[in-house]
Amino acid sequence: SILITGATSGIGFATAKILAASGWRVFVHGRTRKNAIDAVQRMNATATAQPVFGDLASVVQVEGIAQQLDDTSLDVVTHNACPTSFAGETDDSAIGLTFAVGHLAAWRLTSLLLPKLVRSKAGRVVFMGSQSHSAVRRRSSQIVPRLAQGVDQAYAHTKLANLTMCI
């Protein structure tokens, strides 16, 4: 079975739909219960797709996502969720939210689900990526973006931080 975060739209939804159609048991993550259920219904794959929900910006809700999977086995966690709707903004809360959801929540959720992945004997953690990380102005001591860099750079830093977890 596989968990895909941010699976209610875009590439996360498309990936979940293809995997469910291929016979995978897919846990379709959405920020809200309604969004996750709606995505599963749009897939027409209710036998192999199941909704899970929780706001990745909330530590408590990240733990709640893991708890929803308590009684299941898990082979793959795919981290896709990372807000990008703040493009061009320089607001510090948007920058913090981008990094918190796109990287810190992924790290926490992976930590909580790691025992399941180890038990599967073929467990994998996948990060949906992009070329965005290449936009980071390379300074090895600076992973978290500064306010003046804006949310576009926060997204790039988030993707770079994801890569450091994969090494």
Side-chain angles (χ1 to χ4, degrees), residues 53-143:
F53 59 93
D55 188 342
L56 293 168
S58 163
V59 173
V60 171
Q61 290 191 39
V62 169
E63 292 170 357
I65 295 166
Q67 289 170 356
Q68 291 172 61
L69 300 169
D70 271 352
D71 297 327
T72 66
S73 61
L74 196 61
D75 301 298
V76 182
V77 176
T78 300
H79 296 290
N80 173 61
C82 187
T84 58
S85 60
F86 309 113
E89 293 183 29
T90 57
D91 178 79
D92 61 347
S93 63
I95 290 170
L97 183 64
T98 299
F99 195 76
V101 170
H103 183 67
L104 299 177
W107 177 85
R108 179 67 178 140
L109 187 57
T110 298
S111 297
L112 293 168
L113 297 174
L114 195 57
K116 290 179 174 297
L117 296 171
V118 170
R119 277 194 300 275
S120 84
K121 305 226 190 281
R124 300 286 183 265
V125 178
V126 176
F127 283 91
M128 296 288 212
S130 67
Q131 291 275 336
S132 296
H133 70 279
S134 63
V136 173
R137 296 179 195 101
R138 302 212 183 358
R139 291 187 183 126
S140 61
S141 64
Q142 184 188 354
I143 292 292

Side-chain angles (χ1 to χ4, degrees), residues 20-33:
S22 299
W24 278 87
R25 181 178 182 197
V26 180
F27 295 100
V28 178
H29 166 261
R31 188 176 334 138
T32 67
R33 180 183 178 126

Side-chain angles (χ1 to χ4, degrees), residues 7-10 13 17 35 37-45:
T8 60
S9 64
F13 177 80
K17 185 174 181 176
N35 289 352
I37 290 170
D38 288 351
V40 168
Q41 290 173 342
R42 287 193 325 268
M43 285 179 198
N44 296 319

Side-chain angles (χ1 to χ4, degrees), residues 147-163:
L147 174 60
Q149 292 176 313
V151 178
D152 293 337
Q153 277 291 306
Y155 182 80
H157 277 261
T158 298
K159 291 302 171 183
L160 179 60
N162 290 161
L163 285 174

